[in-house]
Amino acid sequence: MSGDTPTLSVQDLETHFFTRQGVAKAVDNVSFDVGKGEIMGLVGESGSGKSVTGFSIIGLVDPPGEVVGGKVMFNGSDLVGLPEEQMQQLRGNRIAMIFQDPMMTLNPVLRIDTQMIETLVTHDKSISKDEARQRSRDALGQVGIPSPDERLKAYPHQFSGGMRQRVAIAIALLNKPDLIIADEPTTALDVTIQGQILFEAQKLCRETGTALIWITHDLAVVAGLADKICVMYAGRIVEQGAIDDVLDHAVHPYTVGLLGSVPGHNTRGHRLYQIPGMTPSLLNLPKGCAFQARCPKADGTCEAEPGIDEPVPGRQVRCFHPQMEAAATGGQEGTPS
Ligand SMILES: Nc1ncnc2c1ncn2[C@@H]1O[C@H](COP(=O)(O)OP(=O)(O)OP(=O)(O)O)[C@@H](O)[C@H]1O
Ligand SMILES: [Mg+2]
């Protein structure tokens, strides 16, 4: 692999759901790269297409959904249309997904040690059972499971929900995959545990070069974790760039609104901004920009489809009216009120 090839390069990805009510473009022309060791935060409101993006990358979209266009280049080769058998091998091996529901990863009828050791041995046939057990124990310790030796012998149902999620995360980290897609895995965990898991994930990426996509609606999580951020709205990425740049100077009115609705040190005693209106149904999108009905900047121009622009170097935005004054003044002065 050449040093320049990103671990993952998603290009013009399109995933549609063919429902009785019509075609929902859940992922519409989505493109981004995640390099070796890089962490990308994928954020957006409920229903914006974050999970479907993740599932599309790993080939887990089921009918009525279908990846209908684009490429998912993984270490330089396209995963779209790869036979299921090869995809399965990648999933158990080079690509891991952590789901919101840990039971999507865990097998309810197998002891934790059996599952972890099997994961390791499938990946590396030469590993001894003792070594596999040692690594499993270490992995449980890493995600904050007390007495990992005893816990290894337990079945999934003997753990609390939060503990089960930590085990699922430990399994995802075990083989040091090239790519991890984590779909809101820490939402249900308490903040100290969440912090510990984010720290371990970050460490893994730095040390082993794992590329990580962290899906969440929690901007605070992404702020502390990610190198770059993609903001999704109604199936499209409306803004992407380096994390600090975007958080300090968001230019898409949707991102500006999202940031304005997060409690911060200077918002105490003030009412938080709330983006007016609701996420539109994908089956009933307006012509042009999907955000126009909720956008303080919208005008007649927005009835056309905004393309991807680069108003500031390194930043991609889909908007006819990027809030450049926010970029210029350095922060939330651009928050609509
Ligand atoms: N099985 C399905 N059948 C029909 N449409 C679907 C299906 N799954 C997803 N969709 C469509 O895809 C859209 C995006 O769903 P997705 O689960 O990716 O949202 P999300 O951003 O992950 O939301 P959340 O934050 O609630 O997890 C949905 O709004 C819906 O229109
Ligand atoms: Mg989701």
Side-chain angles (χ1 to χ4, degrees):
M1 192 183 102
S2 115
D4 297 327
T5 312
T7 302
L8 180 74
S9 177
V10 173
Q11 300 165 10
D12 304 319
L13 188 66
E14 309 248 340
T15 304
H16 294 178
F17 284 89
F18 298 91
T19 72
R20 235 179 264 168
Q21 291 78 34
V23 178
K25 297 180 176 177
V27 178
D28 191 8
N29 228 289
V30 161
S31 301
F32 57 79
D33 287 355
V34 194
K36 243 180 144 205
E38 196 168 42
I39 303 177
M40 187 190 98
L42 182 57
V43 305
E45 286 169 308
S46 187
S48 57
K50 305 179 299 293
S51 295
V52 175
T53 301
F55 288 134
S56 302
I57 293 168
I58 57 172
L60 286 182
V61 176
D62 293 322
E66 192 186 335
V67 175
V68 294
K71 289 182 177 168
V72 174
M73 305 299 290
F74 175 64
N75 288 332
S77 43
D78 194 0
L79 301 185
V80 174
L82 206 67
E84 178 53 25
E85 202 179 313
Q86 286 180 44
M87 207 62 221
Q88 253 178 29
Q89 267 185 355
L90 279 175
R91 281 200 295 265
N93 221 335
R94 304 303 345 136
I95 305 178
M97 182 136 182
I98 310 171
F99 303 94
Q100 202 163 5
D101 174 4
M103 290 317 286
M104 287 188 64
T105 309
L106 299 175
N107 186 331
V109 299
L110 294 180
R111 275 173 27 179
I112 298 301
D113 54 355
T114 315
Q115 302 191 42
M116 293 186 90
I117 290 167
E118 195 178 286
T119 305
L120 283 162
V121 172
T122 316
H123 174 67
D124 177 3
K125 300 263 183 298
S126 68
I127 191 171
S128 74
K129 220 158 170 204
D130 275 350
E131 198 185 336
R133 179 170 295 276
Q134 179 63 45
R135 277 187 47 193
S136 305
R137 198 184 299 139
D138 293 348
L140 289 186
Q142 264 178 12
V143 293
I145 295 202
S147 345
D149 265 320
E150 281 159 49
R151 303 309 277 163
L152 269 177
K153 297 193 200 87
Y155 289 88
H157 73 266
Q158 293 171 305
F159 288 84
S160 70
M163 287 283 187
R164 272 200 289 269
Q165 184 58 292
R166 286 191 250 171
V167 174
I169 292 170
I171 289 179
L173 306 184
L174 261 184
N175 280 328
K176 304 179 172 42
D178 295 341
L179 172 67
I180 298 179
I181 301 173
D183 191 355
E184 309 241 19
T186 56
T187 314
L189 302 180
D190 68 61
V191 271
T192 37
I193 296 303
Q194 168 164 302
Q196 189 180 352
I197 285 169
L198 296 178
F199 173 78
E200 289 298 340
Q202 210 167 31
K203 195 164 124 215
L204 177 85
C205 295
R206 302 290 177 253
E207 285 173 1
T208 65
T210 297
L212 175 64
I213 299 177
W214 200 274
I215 297 174
T216 179
H217 55 260
D218 189 344
L219 280 166
V221 164
V222 167
L225 175 75
D227 303 303
K228 56 156 80 167
I229 179 170
C230 285
V231 181
M232 272 189 103
Y233 189 80
R236 306 193 126 194
I237 291 177
V238 293
E239 177 157 13
Q240 69 171 299
I243 186 78
D244 293 340
D245 295 351
V246 174
L247 294 183
D248 290 348
H249 318 293
V251 300
H252 194 289
Y254 175 62
T255 320
V256 174
L258 267 189
L259 287 169
S261 59
V262 177
H265 60 277
N266 55 357
T267 53
R268 239 181 335 172
H270 296 272
R271 256 185 84 168
L272 286 174
Y273 175 72
Q274 206 180 358
I275 301 174
M278 296 205 319
T279 321
S281 155
L282 290 180
L283 294 169
N284 199 10
L285 288 182
K287 239 176 68 195
C289 175
F291 188 56
Q292 58 182 292
R294 307 172 71 188
C295 182
K297 292 251 174 170
D299 59 20
T301 334
C302 308
E303 283 162 31
E305 191 82 46
I308 297 174
D309 263 343
E310 197 169 325
V312 211
R315 188 79 58 89
Q316 290 183 2
V317 184
R318 271 184 197 278
C319 182
F320 292 114
H321 307 295
Q323 305 227 37
M324 298 315 294
E325 68 273 32
T329 53
Q332 290 313 296
E333 278 91 328
T335 306
S337 53

